[in-house]
Amino acid sequence: MIVAVDGGPASRAALNWALARAEQVPLHLELTTVVELGWSPVGGPEDDFQPVYERALAEASRYVAQNFPEVKATSVVRRGAPVDELVRASAEADLLVIGTNKTSALVGAVHGTLPLRLAAHALCAVAVIPADWVSRGEKVVVGIEDDGTMDAPLEFAVAEAARRGVPLELVHAWSIPATLGVDFGAAVPFDALVEAHEDIVLRAFQRVRSDHPSVVASTSLLQGPAAPALVEAAATAALLVVGTHGRGAVAGLILGSVSHDVLLNMPCPVIVVPRSRRAAEQSGSGASS
């Protein structure tokens, strides 16, 4: 598990979340910071930027060693563009953890794009942790789709629910496609649409019951946009798991998906799971473009 560190409040929240996870599951923790070459703080010495980030990494390492001696942790300084370097690091990781701090329009528009871009391009699951994170919640929520992106997020969510010993809620939201509106007197096959979407969530539920009978699972079928439905369902959750398509260079700026909207309205920690490592590798090739 790799945790991105920069010394800010969101970074500390990400580290604390990762340490809470590491206490429950034996794993190797890598703390990393990325020094962006050719850039320094406004008004500061040109050589001041690198030591600031390295000091933040050293402080995080000391914090782990002093308070969590049982956790095996290493520190790595990377140099280059943050997205590119973290995407490269994700090729060897099971989970990449990053904090987010949306305290102003500027942060949301500039720094806030880093989690979005990583979610689009990373070669492993990405956990995005709000700066105000505190341990809470009694369930894991997972978004269910029927477009080839469901398998990996569902498996990840089931494993999380089993590890935490909490219920799993499978949420599927649907809307009537605009192309099925009333045109030229044609009626919308509403009942057929409902049955089709009921089948999607039922198949996912049956998979959980069959493969993981110890996990207590429930389903929610909601009519309306998916992102608001997931945000509402996860308001009291410990974790929300969603999938992503990964859409190349454009996704580096805006995912254009449910994952994008969820990350801009985070109700709790969110884990974005690529549908497969191969698919993630194909989308990750556009991260530096």
Side-chain angles (χ1 to χ4, degrees):
M1 179 166 57
I2 297 177
V3 182
V5 173
D6 66 7
S11 169
R12 288 191 290 273
L15 178 57
N16 285 328
W17 184 89
L19 288 169
R21 181 187 179 89
E23 283 187 305
Q24 299 172 334
V25 180
L27 49 77
H28 176 76
L29 183 66
E30 178 188 301
L31 309 179
T32 190
T33 194
V34 181
V35 178
E36 190 166 3
L37 302 180
W39 192 90
S40 61
V42 176
E46 291 185 358
D47 61 350
D48 187 53
F49 180 66
Q50 181 169 336
V52 167
Y53 273 68
E54 291 183 348
R55 284 197 298 271
L57 183 61
E59 290 173 2
S61 297
R62 284 194 295 271
Y63 175 75
V64 174
Q66 292 171 2
N67 297 281
F68 301 85
E70 71 282 1
V71 175
K72 297 180 180 179
T74 56
S75 299
V76 177
V77 177
R78 292 182 166 85
R79 294 173 174 82
V83 171
D84 293 345
E85 294 306 314
L86 291 174
V87 167
R88 290 190 186 98
S90 73
E92 304 300 327
D94 296 306
L95 183 64
L96 175 62
V97 184
I98 185 169
T100 184
N101 184 10
K102 300 189 303 175
T103 59
S104 69
L106 178 62
V107 171
V110 182
H111 299 91
T113 64
L114 181 57
L116 297 178
R117 296 178 70 185
L118 286 177
H121 297 301
L123 306 179
C124 67
V126 177
V128 184
I129 315 302
D132 60 355
W133 173 79
V134 293
S135 181
R136 64 173 180 82
E138 299 178 350
K139 64 180 177 179
V140 171
V141 175
V142 58
I144 299 298
E145 298 295 339
D146 190 36
D147 57 2
T149 65
M150 182 180 75
D151 291 353
L154 181 58
E155 287 299 318
F156 196 103
V158 170
E160 283 294 311
R163 180 177 63 80
R164 296 167 182 262
V166 299
L168 174 67
E169 182 178 357
L170 290 70
V171 177
H172 177 65
W174 66 281
S175 301
I176 298 176
T179 55
L180 293 182
V182 179
D183 293 324
F184 305 105
V188 176
F190 186 81
D191 291 343
L193 282 174
V194 173
E195 290 179 3
H197 289 283
E198 285 178 340
D199 182 64
I200 291 172
V201 74
L202 178 60
R203 283 188 283 112
F205 176 76
Q206 290 174 336
R207 281 184 53 187
V208 175
R209 290 292 299 273
S210 174
D211 299 341
H212 307 275
S214 64
V215 174
V216 177
S218 63
T219 64
S220 292
L221 179 62
L222 306 171
Q223 185 178 356
L230 288 170
V231 169
E232 183 177 353
T236 59
L239 183 68
L240 171 58
V241 181
V242 294
T244 183
H245 298 270
R247 293 173 179 164
V250 174
L253 295 176
I254 50 173
L255 283 174
S257 65
V258 173
S259 302
H260 171 270
D261 292 343
V262 165
L263 288 176
L264 293 180
N265 300 276
M266 295 181 63
C268 63
V270 174
I271 295 185
V272 181
V273 184
R275 62 185 181 272
S276 68
R277 181 171 289 270
R278 179 180 180 183
E281 288 171 348
Q282 291 174 347
S283 66
S285 64
S288 60
S289 60

